[in-house]
Amino acid sequence: MRPALRLLPLSLCIAVSLNARAGDDMPQNWSLCPVQDVVKPFAEAQAAPEGIGIDNTEQATDIEGDALTGTEENPVFNGNVTLRRGDQFMGADQLTYDKGQEHYTAEGSIRYQGSGLRMTATRAEGDQAKDVHTIHDLDYQLLANRGNGGAERVTLTGDIGSLHGATYSTCAPDARHWELRANRIDIDTEKGMAVARGATLRVGQVPIIYLPWFMFPTDERRRTGLLFPSVSNSSRNGLDWKQPIYLNLAPNYDATLNPRLMTNRGVQLGAQFRYLVEGGAGVVDGTWMPDDDLRDSDRSMIRYGAFQNVNRNWQARANLNWISDSRYYEDFSSSLDGLSQSTSFSEIGVYGRGHGWEAGITSDYWQLADFTLTEADLPYNRVPRAYVHWERGLGLHFVGGVDAEMVRFRHPLFDAGSRLDVKPWISLPLEGDSWFVKPTAAFRHTSYELDESLTASRSRSRSQPIFSLDSGLFFDRDTRVKGKDYLQTIEPRLYYLHVPYAYQDDMPLFDTQPLTFSWGQLFRDNRYSGADRQADANQLTLALSTRMIRQSDGRERFSASLGQIRYFDESRVSIPGEPVTEKGRSAWVADANYAPTDRWTFGASYQWDPKFNRTDLASIRARYLLPDDGVFNLGYRYRRSLLEQADVSFLYPINPTWSVVGRYYYSMYDSKALETIAGLQWDSCCVAVRLVARRYVHNRAGDLSNSVLLEIELKGLGSAGQDTRRALRRAILGYNRDDLYLVPPQTATGQPTPPAIDTVNDASP
């Protein structure tokens, strides 16, 4: 039997209203919340087939029951009454329906499931003609999320719904750590907005927030309104309150205002504008602080990042940054990365890529961001720069190509000029299953047109042939260690480089510096960055690598590499202040990684110079993965005449709910701690509290600042306080276990490359 009866749209007023909350850029940790059905599943409920969407409004309603009494116009279904439409289900002990009045009444053990909601109630009644429905004494559970609660009564009139005596929480009923209660909630599903009256947020049994009236969204549509504030306290800023205000301007662009009060410094106004167009997007960020009490001056910053596709091969990109003064990054960054950034870099250009080629036309600009330096220390601006890389198979196994660059250099203090660098090359790569040989011949020509004030002769040029021969062998064998199968490899490699000497002392140094000696340096044809110098060379690199790979899962258990360069002749090309590369041997470069178990990993990098019998670089790192997502990190870094640091960090779970976090980052060179963190976390099924104390170097003078971060997170609703998780993820590698599988690129010391500072998102202590 299929009468014209539709199921109650209960999820319209519950599933999308009480679950409204601010977005979070980090996933919720529900590890302490085993799936607990507050409302038990209904055996007779039938869900839609997985992966197939069903429009319930176009589906007919099927009604079944043990007995049918009454008349044709007023049927009464009794005993195990079930109604199904699409993926919706409703069950009751009795259902009475008046076809003439289009009125129904459902009584006794009412059960409903559909559209992300499961609920029970004592009674439901409604008028189909007027589209008015009322449900009494209900309990509900959200299926897509972990919310649950109840209501004394729910009334629906079309797209308008009202909940009376409603509650919501992500906690289980027997452990109600927090709960949101409201006397009445009126929802308009067409507008996607709701108004709550007499709302109270309770932690335990204690009401901590009471709002007589407030409006909030009920779906994911963007709307103008307040976002969660950020509150913290530090010795540098004092009480720090930031209140984001979101402005929904149009479907393809929006803005966020960020007024911020720092009691020790003043008021800062920030804003972000985002846009999305066909084939492109962009973000404009800016801040302005009138009369910063810390510096007694106005402070501001503007940043613009965007891309725009021109066609399938070409894209325009921009990364523009401007700061009001050279102390901005130091004062408005809470991480040590802010102290390491001495310049602000901007770049704009058009970039192309296709089969066998890359090209671009760009311009870049440098701004001073370190008050201890002067503009004389700034790199040269390249306005503009054009480059191309092209390579193609030439037949008979030959591969040829060309790398070319043309740059116009400018500087705020010094005269500069233009440079053309062209490097055609041809290679014959040969390889087999266990060997490879790759001879390469190139010819590099570099010429300059300098400004008149630099020299009487404005033109300079240099031409050099370059020959290299790269070769290697691959040996592997199956082996068994402690009952497990491994693949062991031994990979010797030889790299010969010959570049004849060419006089270059009369050439300028625009963008060229010696590269840090590292493993990659063993196999390069030039020890300099940039084209202002091409080193002469007659040298041979000898290197050996080995690996142990577990065959059951492909995990590398052990790896080691060792290499050295033999210089057959002294290198005569150098830059001012650079030591001469003498005939003989370079420092040994060694690197090793060892994972004895799935929890322990060790690593070390080492450079030893036999000529002076000294250590140039040493790095040791260890990590232990504790049970229950805990982690312990230990690191030591040394670079001769530059730094010596020790770093210890940990996340130690005391039990499933309590854990402690900490970091001690110490510089032996400065005889002081660069950053100290100590914190305590309590994490329950639906509430998390994190209290973190931090002492860190906040300026280039080495002054220390103290801050206390407190965050209370009501899972499924939102959080109040500072974003402590973000600060801890930066300080403790592995704080979020997923970070361990996103290994960042390694520097020459074997440590992760520090990320570029984000002056907008990382500007809070």
Side-chain angles (χ1 to χ4, degrees), residues 497-509:
L497 175 65
H498 180 77
V499 183
Y501 170 75
Y503 181 75
Q504 303 170 46
D505 292 347
D506 61 343
M507 293 185 175
L509 287 171

Side-chain angles (χ1 to χ4, degrees), residues 269-435:
L269 301 178
Q272 180 187 81
F273 176 79
R274 304 185 302 176
Y275 69 86
L276 180 66
V277 296
E278 184 177 356
V283 179
V284 182
D285 289 299
T287 62
W288 176 59
M289 172 178 277
D291 194 20
D292 182 0
D293 293 339
L294 180 66
R295 302 296 176 195
D296 195 23
S297 63
D298 295 351
R299 316 291 297 281
S300 54
M301 179 277 299
I302 299 176
R303 183 180 67 175
Y304 173 61
F307 75 92
Q308 181 64 52
N309 296 327
V310 180
N311 54 39
R312 60 177 296 181
N313 296 112
W314 290 90
Q315 183 184 75
R317 295 197 295 268
N319 176 29
L320 307 180
N321 299 276
W322 176 85
I323 53 178
S324 60
D325 57 89
S326 58
R327 289 180 178 264
Y328 188 91
Y329 291 156
E330 175 184 303
D331 290 344
F332 288 94
S333 172
S334 63
S335 70
L336 298 178
D337 297 329
L339 305 183
S340 64
Q341 188 166 3
S342 60
T343 58
S344 175
F345 177 71
S346 298
E347 184 177 26
I348 188 170
V350 180
Y351 305 83
R353 174 177 292 183
H355 178 64
W357 66 271
E358 293 183 18
I361 302 175
T362 70
S363 291
D364 56 48
Y365 175 80
W366 301 83
Q367 185 183 4
L368 196 65
D370 183 348
F371 72 94
T372 65
L373 305 177
T374 67
E375 288 190 337
D377 299 299
L378 282 174
Y380 283 82
N381 301 318
R382 299 181 295 184
V383 284
R385 171 181 179 248
Y387 69 90
V388 63
H389 166 78
W390 175 87
E391 67 175 77
R392 190 64 55 86
L394 303 179
L396 298 177
H397 300 291
F398 283 95
V399 177
V402 62
D403 296 294
E405 180 190 49
M406 181 179 292
V407 188
R408 169 60 181 171
F409 293 97
R410 297 182 186 274
H411 197 277
L413 298 182
F414 308 131
D415 291 321
S418 301
R419 183 185 70 197
L420 172 65
D421 182 55
V422 181
K423 182 183 175 183
W425 55 270
I426 187 170
S427 177
L428 180 62
L430 303 172
E431 61 182 7
D433 293 336
S434 60
W435 60 275

Side-chain angles (χ1 to χ4, degrees), residues 39-57:
V39 179
K40 301 299 181 182
F42 313 130
E44 60 269 52
Q46 180 179 351
E50 184 177 355
I52 301 177
I54 292 181
D55 185 357
N56 293 315
T57 61

Side-chain angles (χ1 to χ4, degrees), residues 515-540:
L515 293 168
T516 301
F517 190 68
S518 63
W519 179 263
Q521 183 82 1
L522 301 177
F523 310 99
R524 286 178 54 92
D525 63 6
N526 191 15
R527 67 174 185 270
Y528 297 103
S529 65
D532 297 322
R533 294 292 185 272
Q534 170 62 56
D536 58 315
N538 183 19
Q539 63 189 51
L540 176 67

Side-chain angles (χ1 to χ4, degrees), residues 18 34 69 114 165 178 280 321 335 352 372 430 499 535 543 597 623 631 638 695 707 718 741:
L18 294 178
T69 60
W178 70 268
N321 299 276
S335 70
T372 65
L430 303 172
V499 183
T597 69
R623 175 174 302 112
V631 65
Y638 167 81
R695 183 173 175 83
S707 65
Y741 305 103

Side-chain angles (χ1 to χ4, degrees), residues 43 232 436:
S232 64
F436 75 91

